Amino acid sequence: MSDQAALAAPVKRAELHRMVMSSHICPYGLKAKDLLKRSGYEVEDHHLTTREQTDAFKAKHNVATTPQIFIGGRRVGGYDDLRRYLGKKVADPAATSYRPVIALFTMTALMAVAASHAVTGDAFTIRAAEWFVSFSMVVLALLKLQNVETFATMFLNYDLLAKRWVPYGYVYPFAEGLAGLLMVAGALTWLSVPLALFIGTIGAASVFKAVYIDRRELKCACVGGSSNVPLGFISLTENLMMIAMAVWMTLGAFGCVAGSTHG
């Protein structure tokens, strides 16, 4: 665009009304202001500095929330409405998403290669692969332990053992975390291996039955009870990783025993 055309282009202006109080600054008001500026708008920023002023504004415009944005003299609405007005995606908090598990496994993989590099000087080692699984188990357990009650309730929807013995839903995250920590340390294999094998096998069988045999559509409790991750491949992968790790460590232990015997 030429300088002359730029000068001739009308200035885009928006009017923003948001809460700015000593005890509270509305985060969505800040996000709306930032979005408007990044979208090329000059923002007329009006602060609602008291509860009385805010309530009066809501009553005047017959709205339930702030911030409120006006463009061209017309009320656009709140932050989500502004995103829609600008043609941007609005997240649905109730929508299912694999983002939590993608973020989790990405970070645990990076942790594993970082730890391997710190210990051996080589990022990509067999130990890094082992740490990836064990780190993932620990972090998955941590997410469940944030709210054991909610996790255990969701877990009852599909776990075969928990349906027969309800306390298992409360035991599971502690067992997973303990097995993962022991595998990170490479300690007490006699305990970590059967523990991981036990919970992994029951978990895999439960998920397979619920999803692939009964064809049920459920939320996965694998990353905690408040997630919107669908039960299926990810949940099955979590359990199969535990089984594979347990089998791998068992084979490693037998290899060490055989080696020492031949030696």
Side-chain angles (χ1 to χ4, degrees), residues 135-155:
F135 285 163
S136 297
M137 290 171 63
V138 172
V139 176
L140 285 164
L142 181 152
L143 293 174
K144 296 176 179 71
L145 289 169
Q146 290 182 105
N147 192 329
V148 179
E149 188 67 40
T150 304
F151 162 76
T153 302
M154 285 185 66
F155 200 52

Tab-separated table of all heavy atoms in Angstrom, residues 135-155:
chain	number	residue	atom	x	y	z
A	135	PHE	N	9.255	-41.011	33.465
A	135	PHE	CA	8.867	-39.621	33.709
A	135	PHE	C	7.383	-39.414	33.392
A	135	PHE	O	6.673	-38.705	34.110
A	135	PHE	CB	9.698	-38.662	32.851
A	135	PHE	CG	11.107	-38.451	33.323
A	135	PHE	CD1	12.056	-37.910	32.475
A	135	PHE	CD2	11.497	-38.793	34.608
A	135	PHE	CE1	13.361	-37.701	32.886
A	135	PHE	CE2	12.799	-38.596	35.038
A	135	PHE	CZ	13.734	-38.052	34.177
A	136	SER	N	6.923	-40.015	32.295
A	136	SER	CA	5.513	-39.889	31.903
A	136	SER	C	4.606	-40.480	32.971
A	136	SER	O	3.555	-39.903	33.305
A	136	SER	CB	5.272	-40.588	30.568
A	136	SER	OG	6.008	-39.979	29.531
A	137	MET	N	4.996	-41.611	33.531
A	137	MET	CA	4.205	-42.230	34.593
A	137	MET	C	4.107	-41.310	35.807
A	137	MET	O	3.036	-41.150	36.400
A	137	MET	CB	4.826	-43.570	34.989
A	137	MET	CG	4.686	-44.654	33.943
A	137	MET	SD	5.664	-46.135	34.332
A	137	MET	CE	4.898	-46.670	35.856
A	138	VAL	N	5.228	-40.696	36.171
A	138	VAL	CA	5.245	-39.808	37.338
A	138	VAL	C	4.353	-38.587	37.109
A	138	VAL	O	3.562	-38.201	37.975
A	138	VAL	CB	6.682	-39.368	37.672
A	138	VAL	CG1	6.685	-38.297	38.754
A	138	VAL	CG2	7.520	-40.568	38.119
A	139	VAL	N	4.464	-37.967	35.931
A	139	VAL	CA	3.675	-36.769	35.646
A	139	VAL	C	2.194	-37.107	35.526
A	139	VAL	O	1.332	-36.349	36.006
A	139	VAL	CB	4.185	-36.065	34.372
A	139	VAL	CG1	3.312	-34.875	34.031
A	139	VAL	CG2	5.624	-35.618	34.555
A	140	LEU	N	1.877	-38.241	34.921
A	140	LEU	CA	0.482	-38.665	34.828
A	140	LEU	C	-0.096	-38.897	36.223
A	140	LEU	O	-1.245	-38.531	36.504
A	140	LEU	CB	0.369	-39.931	33.982
A	140	LEU	CG	0.512	-39.728	32.471
A	140	LEU	CD1	0.783	-41.054	31.768
A	140	LEU	CD2	-0.736	-39.076	31.895
A	141	ALA	N	0.702	-39.499	37.099
A	141	ALA	CA	0.258	-39.713	38.479
A	141	ALA	C	0.047	-38.379	39.189
A	141	ALA	O	-0.925	-38.196	39.934
A	141	ALA	CB	1.285	-40.559	39.236
A	142	LEU	N	0.956	-37.438	38.956
A	142	LEU	CA	0.844	-36.107	39.569
A	142	LEU	C	-0.475	-35.444	39.179
A	142	LEU	O	-1.160	-34.859	40.028
A	142	LEU	CB	2.027	-35.249	39.135
A	142	LEU	CG	2.136	-33.825	39.683
A	142	LEU	CD1	3.595	-33.394	39.737
A	142	LEU	CD2	1.362	-32.824	38.825
A	143	LEU	N	-0.837	-35.514	37.905
A	143	LEU	CA	-2.082	-34.902	37.436
A	143	LEU	C	-3.296	-35.549	38.101
A	143	LEU	O	-4.262	-34.866	38.452
A	143	LEU	CB	-2.183	-35.023	35.920
A	143	LEU	CG	-1.159	-34.208	35.127
A	143	LEU	CD1	-1.260	-34.531	33.647
A	143	LEU	CD2	-1.364	-32.711	35.343
A	144	LYS	N	-3.241	-36.857	38.288
A	144	LYS	CA	-4.347	-37.550	38.956
A	144	LYS	C	-4.420	-37.177	40.427
A	144	LYS	O	-5.509	-37.036	41.001
A	144	LYS	CB	-4.172	-39.065	38.809
A	144	LYS	CG	-4.229	-39.592	37.378
A	144	LYS	CD	-3.949	-41.083	37.347
A	144	LYS	CE	-4.019	-41.671	35.947
A	144	LYS	NZ	-2.903	-41.272	35.087
A	145	LEU	N	-3.260	-36.999	41.049
A	145	LEU	CA	-3.203	-36.713	42.480
A	145	LEU	C	-3.652	-35.283	42.815
A	145	LEU	O	-3.894	-34.972	43.979
A	145	LEU	CB	-1.784	-36.943	43.007
A	145	LEU	CG	-1.358	-38.414	43.085
A	145	LEU	CD1	0.133	-38.517	43.348
A	145	LEU	CD2	-2.147	-39.147	44.167
A	146	GLN	N	-3.769	-34.418	41.807
A	146	GLN	CA	-4.267	-33.069	42.066
A	146	GLN	C	-5.693	-33.097	42.597
A	146	GLN	O	-6.076	-32.239	43.392
A	146	GLN	CB	-4.220	-32.231	40.778
A	146	GLN	CG	-2.820	-31.877	40.339
A	146	GLN	CD	-2.851	-31.012	39.096
A	146	GLN	OE1	-2.627	-29.811	39.143
A	146	GLN	NE2	-3.143	-31.613	37.965
A	147	ASN	N	-6.460	-34.079	42.142
A	147	ASN	CA	-7.823	-34.247	42.634
A	147	ASN	C	-8.173	-35.727	42.533
A	147	ASN	O	-8.767	-36.172	41.554
A	147	ASN	CB	-8.804	-33.392	41.829
A	147	ASN	CG	-10.175	-33.314	42.492
A	147	ASN	OD1	-10.613	-34.243	43.165
A	147	ASN	ND2	-10.864	-32.199	42.291
A	148	VAL	N	-7.771	-36.468	43.560
A	148	VAL	CA	-7.952	-37.919	43.537
A	148	VAL	C	-9.431	-38.283	43.479
A	148	VAL	O	-9.805	-39.259	42.812
A	148	VAL	CB	-7.286	-38.568	44.772
A	148	VAL	CG1	-7.486	-40.074	44.764
A	148	VAL	CG2	-5.796	-38.246	44.811
A	149	GLU	N	-10.260	-37.513	44.170
A	149	GLU	CA	-11.694	-37.816	44.207
A	149	GLU	C	-12.311	-37.752	42.811
A	149	GLU	O	-13.053	-38.659	42.404
A	149	GLU	CB	-12.407	-36.829	45.136
A	149	GLU	CG	-13.860	-37.165	45.410
A	149	GLU	CD	-14.028	-38.444	46.220
A	149	GLU	OE1	-13.236	-38.666	47.168
A	149	GLU	OE2	-14.952	-39.210	45.902
A	150	THR	N	-12.015	-36.693	42.074
A	150	THR	CA	-12.562	-36.545	40.723
A	150	THR	C	-12.018	-37.629	39.804
A	150	THR	O	-12.758	-38.204	38.994
A	150	THR	CB	-12.220	-35.158	40.157
A	150	THR	OG1	-12.692	-34.162	41.052
A	150	THR	CG2	-12.867	-34.945	38.798
A	151	PHE	N	-10.704	-37.906	39.919
A	151	PHE	CA	-10.118	-38.967	39.098
A	151	PHE	C	-10.796	-40.302	39.366
A	151	PHE	O	-11.188	-41.013	38.435
A	151	PHE	CB	-8.618	-39.089	39.367
A	151	PHE	CG	-8.047	-40.402	38.890
A	151	PHE	CD1	-7.824	-40.634	37.541
A	151	PHE	CD2	-7.798	-41.433	39.790
A	151	PHE	CE1	-7.348	-41.865	37.091
A	151	PHE	CE2	-7.317	-42.667	39.348
A	151	PHE	CZ	-7.083	-42.877	38.000
A	152	ALA	N	-10.916	-40.664	40.647
A	152	ALA	CA	-11.486	-41.959	41.004
A	152	ALA	C	-12.919	-42.102	40.499
A	152	ALA	O	-13.333	-43.189	40.084
A	152	ALA	CB	-11.437	-42.145	42.519
A	153	THR	N	-13.669	-41.012	40.521
A	153	THR	CA	-15.051	-41.046	40.033
A	153	THR	C	-15.095	-41.309	38.536
A	153	THR	O	-15.889	-42.140	38.064
A	153	THR	CB	-15.756	-39.713	40.351
A	153	THR	OG1	-15.720	-39.487	41.764
A	153	THR	CG2	-17.200	-39.738	39.875
A	154	MET	N	-14.246	-40.615	37.761
A	154	MET	CA	-14.187	-40.850	36.316
A	154	MET	C	-13.685	-42.255	36.009
A	154	MET	O	-14.149	-42.914	35.078
A	154	MET	CB	-13.280	-39.823	35.642
A	154	MET	CG	-13.876	-38.442	35.506
A	154	MET	SD	-12.795	-37.322	34.584
A	154	MET	CE	-12.827	-38.076	32.955
A	155	PHE	N	-12.731	-42.714	36.811
A	155	PHE	CA	-12.104	-44.024	36.616
A	155	PHE	C	-13.128	-45.145	36.730
A	155	PHE	O	-13.034	-46.168	36.044
A	155	PHE	CB	-11.013	-44.180	37.666
A	155	PHE	CG	-9.961	-45.209	37.359
A	155	PHE	CD1	-9.292	-45.211	36.149
A	155	PHE	CD2	-9.602	-46.160	38.310
A	155	PHE	CE1	-8.301	-46.137	35.873
A	155	PHE	CE2	-8.617	-47.084	38.051
A	155	PHE	CZ	-7.963	-47.080	36.827
